[in-house]
Amino acid sequence: MNVLSFSNNDKTIFLISLTPMLINALDYLLIGSYLPMLIALGVLIPVSYGFYIKSSFWSFRYWGGLLVGYGVVRSAIHLLVNSVGGGVESSIVYQLTIWFHLKNMALIGIGCLLVSKSIKTGMRKDF
Amino acid sequence: MRVLILVALCFNFFSSLAQQDEYSTYETIKFHRNIIAQLTGELPVRDNMFLKQRSSPLERSITATYLSDALTRAGLDANHHKYKVQNSVFVLDLLFKPFRGVNVYSIIPATQPSNEYVVFGAHYDTERGSPGAIDNATGISVCLRLAERLNKFPNRKINFIVVFFDQEEDDEVGSGAFADWLQSKDWVIKAVHSIDTIGWDNDGDGLFSIQSPPSHLESIYKEEAILLNVPLSIVSGASSDNKSFLIRGFEVVGVSEAFKDTTPHIHKPTDKSDTIDFKYLATMTELILNVLKRAIDECP
């Protein structure tokens, strides 16, 4: 039986980390594009189930890893667009602002935090 | 003595007619010079604000406001068609926000009940780093002049819509959204005229191109070109906002400078107003006006 329970802090961080993906998916849902929401739910439902119902540290680690990967991909695109220069749609280029960069750093930071917490939680479970 | 007076009167009469024609072309050129200078940063759009390009969200917003004000000065009600559409590639939807923009449009109403519309328009955004004089301040200026002139006609049997499209340089996003919006209305759209890049005539032959016109529009353009003694070439395909309407089944024609003699400054920082042949632009304005007037005349 899994006797782990997450602190309120952990739950708050987890909830905050879900919001960017949900907000983005909702933005697209409102203009009739369903796939981002389907993908968001496909990822978030199992992760949330693992976190809230099963109290699984694996869900923390998995979700943290996804956030880090997502932030890294967006940062890589930012660097690529800056190095390529032309040939990229202005709609994309003008989204690559300081705020975009800060969001990426926040996603990577939260992801790393979740992964490190899951490692510590895993170690507590082992003991 | 009577003969002399008669000759003098005839001379005055014909010279005043010539002055009116000259005045009209002169005024049109002056109009275009002023609008294009403002849109390309040579003159301020308002206060001390200069537009060096019309590419970023802020620059496009300033341009949309400028166009709204210009339409209002022409005696029309300006409207903003705001849109949000998904990215052209699905994966980008997961990483970035949707396209957002504003098309600016006015309806020039018919003077009798009518559910028929003729649309004419030009995109107002530019490629990054380009002041966009020929591409497409020329198209904007032509449309503003046409709107002003059409609004003064006392009898209009058909409605006109003048529209300025956003984000043409990002794969015609604005015109696509506007075309979808038009399809949601129960209006009868008789024709769409998309005007893009219409200021370069390096070889001085006056040639212009119309792209993929339906047969009845082709005939009209040919007839009006003959009357103005302007050569015309017909090309296939769709390379501007006309594409958005063509793929949705509208009767649309793209109007531009000659494809075989097109500006080498397109999308470059050198696309400035000193590359424009303003006399050519004035002639194109008159030709398109005559084409649009035919829409009024041909209505029952």
Side-chain angles (χ1 to χ4, degrees), chain A residues 14 17-18 21-22 39-49 63:
Chain A
F14 182 73
S17 69
L18 296 181
M21 194 172 192
L22 275 174
I39 289 175
L41 293 175
V43 168
L44 296 178
I45 288 174
V47 164
S48 301
Y49 175 79
W63 179 235

Side-chain angles (χ1 to χ4, degrees), chain B residues 263-298:
Chain B
T263 175
H265 304 285
I266 195 165
H267 298 171
K268 292 180 183 166
T270 49
D271 184 10
K272 296 183 180 176
S273 65
D274 55 5
T275 63
I276 296 173
D277 184 331
F278 282 93
K279 198 150 186 307
Y280 173 77
L281 183 61
T283 306
M284 290 298 106
T285 308
E286 191 184 344
L287 185 140
I288 300 170
L289 177 67
N290 292 345
V291 168
L292 294 179
K293 276 161 68 177
R294 290 277 294 267
I296 301 173
D297 296 336
E298 283 165 9

